[in-house]
Amino acid sequence: VLHLPFKRLVQKSKFKLKKCFIKNLTWLGVGGQASLFKPEDVKDVCDFVKYNEYVVIGAGSNIVGPEILTKPLVRLGRAFNYITIEGQKITAGAATLDAYVAKFAMENSLSGLEFLSVIPGTVGGAVAMNAGAYGAEISDLLVCIKAVNKFGEVIEISSKEIDFSYRSANLPKDLIIIGATFFVKESNSKEIKSKMISLLKLKQDSQPIQTKTCGSIFKNPPNQKAWQLIDQAGFRGFCIGGAQISEKHCNFLINNGNATSQDIQDLCFAVRDGVKSKLGIEMEFELVIL
Ligand SMILES: Cc1cc2nc3c(=O)[nH]c(=O)nc-3n(C[C@H](O)[C@H](O)[C@H](O)COP(=O)(O)OP(=O)(O)OC[C@H]3O[C@@H](n4cnc5c(N)ncnc54)[C@H](O)[C@@H]3O)c2cc1C
């Protein structure tokens, strides 16, 4: 009979972990070395979670990577990149890009997911963050998710069982979403396409989406706009090292090319504390500092 810690070691060694740099796996482009596990299929996910602690990432569009991460990263690959359709229900693997899901729905004259065309992440990340834009969010259309829990069991969770709020799904941190089903409405693909084009224009005109960034830094406090508070507190264009508050949209930060993870974090905390001391308003992070 194997002693449990030894059994764990033996189990761990059968998983192929690759060396990676977090900066290469995230939009913001900061973060040091880590190990990466890319499961080939659902069984791989189930086996891995039973014996390891981990951090799951999608497209890394909402993540500030640390210089050191001791837990391995789990990033779902090809087997989780698919879309199927059944009547008015679209099911997508968690690694599928949001933009592909939006395009697929448009091509099939199904409406509701247009906003996903302007969110640069994966389906897993969109559910975990309750991603949304221009008045719509994932929880409006989600029917259910399939996920792997920390015991390595595949479970289905109905949308009604998830405690969604603004940019949060309140799911356990160690739950790995592997797929999601959305309910969509029949519509006209031309209308859907023109809506997607106008959303993209709004986005391009108001946010620094062509730069190394990570989406909104803070959630909007109730009845307030985070960008206005940051602007009022005098932080538009504010820099620490290579990290800067965008001139174009104050609730976005930019890596000017040589920012370190520390620069980004120092900037985020300086702005949060500055808004609190100057305006008395507490802001909550939307971006995920790993
Ligand atoms: C230019 C730009 C514009 C953006 N605009 C918007 C916007 O309009 N609206 C909006 O809501 N967001 C926006 N974002 C933020 C970001 O794109 C979303 O939060 C997106 O949903 C994150 O998806 P991701 O796959 O990149 O997740 P990641 O950034 O990799 O991870 C985000 C969180 O989700 C978790 N996660 C990821 N995959 C899984 C999974 N399979 N199972 C469980 N948990 C998982 C991670 O652990 C992490 O906590 C923007 C970002 C950028 C860079």
Side-chain angles (χ1 to χ4, degrees):
V1 178
L2 286 178
H3 192 254
L4 189 62
F6 181 63
K7 191 175 164 198
R8 286 213 166 137
L9 267 181
V10 173
Q11 289 289 345
K12 252 185 187 176
S13 63
K14 79 177 200 183
F15 299 104
K16 278 191 209 129
L17 296 182
K18 276 192 178 164
K19 194 173 99 176
C20 69
F21 286 92
I22 307 172
K23 66 178 179 188
N24 297 333
L25 298 175
T26 57
W27 268 62
L28 198 49
V30 297
Q33 198 175 313
S35 54
L36 174 69
F37 179 62
K38 283 188 92 174
E40 304 225 324
D41 52 27
V42 177
K43 184 176 177 304
D44 250 5
V45 180
C46 298
D47 289 345
F48 187 79
V49 299
K50 279 189 263 181
Y51 299 103
N52 295 277
E53 292 193 344
Y54 50 86
V55 175
V56 57
I57 61 164
S61 60
N62 213 30
I63 280 177
V64 180
E67 287 308 334
I68 298 166
L69 185 69
T70 48
K71 294 179 189 175
L73 290 169
V74 174
R75 198 180 204 216
L76 303 180
R78 244 176 295 171
F80 303 88
N81 185 354
Y82 61 85
I83 310 179
T84 60
I85 182 168
E86 205 187 318
Q88 282 174 253
K89 283 184 188 164
I90 288 180
T91 297
T96 315
L97 288 177
D98 297 332
Y100 288 165
V101 181
K103 185 167 176 272
F104 178 89
M106 182 265 289
E107 284 166 355
N108 286 279
S109 304
L110 293 167
S111 168
L113 293 167
E114 292 87 335
F115 72 100
L116 282 185
S117 63
V118 296
I119 299 182
T122 61
V123 165
V127 174
M129 297 301 302
N130 190 18
Y134 306 113
E137 57 188 12
I138 275 291
S139 51
D140 300 339
L141 300 116
L142 189 74
V143 177
C144 62
I145 58 168
K146 262 208 178 132
V148 174
N149 66 17
K150 65 178 174 187
F151 307 109
E153 297 159 340
V154 177
I155 52 171
E156 188 170 301
I157 307 176
S158 137
S159 176
K160 288 181 201 130
E161 296 170 70
I162 303 174
D163 185 14
F164 282 113
S165 57
Y166 173 63
R167 300 296 169 265
S168 164
N170 207 12
L171 289 163
K173 287 260 172 294
D174 45 21
L175 191 80
I176 300 188
I177 299 161
I178 55 172
T181 299
F182 305 102
F183 187 78
V184 278
K185 282 184 253 149
E186 280 169 9
S187 181
N188 170 302
S189 66
K190 266 194 187 160
E191 275 173 29
I192 298 171
K193 192 172 182 182
S194 84
K195 186 169 175 192
M196 281 162 60
I197 291 169
S198 54
L199 292 184
L200 185 63
K201 174 135 184 31
L202 280 174
K203 192 97 180 162
Q204 280 168 339
D205 289 349
S206 62
Q207 297 177 5
I209 57 175
Q210 313 289 14
T211 49
K212 283 186 178 177
T213 182
C214 64
S216 301
I217 312 168
F218 299 101
K219 297 179 181 183
N220 286 325
N223 308 317
Q224 310 261 13
K225 295 269 183 228
W227 75 264
Q228 280 174 340
L229 300 172
I230 297 167
D231 202 13
Q232 273 171 35
F235 287 107
R236 185 180 289 268
F238 177 69
C239 294
I240 292 186
Q244 185 181 11
I245 293 296
S246 165
E247 294 276 359
K248 193 169 185 179
H249 192 308
C250 291
N251 199 21
F252 275 69
L253 60 77
I254 291 171
N255 172 0
N256 273 332
N258 60 350
T260 61
S261 180
Q262 196 60 53
D263 292 342
I264 303 278
Q265 293 181 51
D266 289 348
L267 183 80
C268 291
F269 286 103
V271 172
R272 190 193 66 172
D273 296 348
V275 168
K276 170 86 175 129
S277 67
K278 288 181 185 163
L279 307 173
I281 296 169
E282 195 114 26
M283 291 196 299
E284 197 189 328
F285 285 115
E286 179 171 326
L287 56 77
V288 179
I289 301 176
L290 283 190

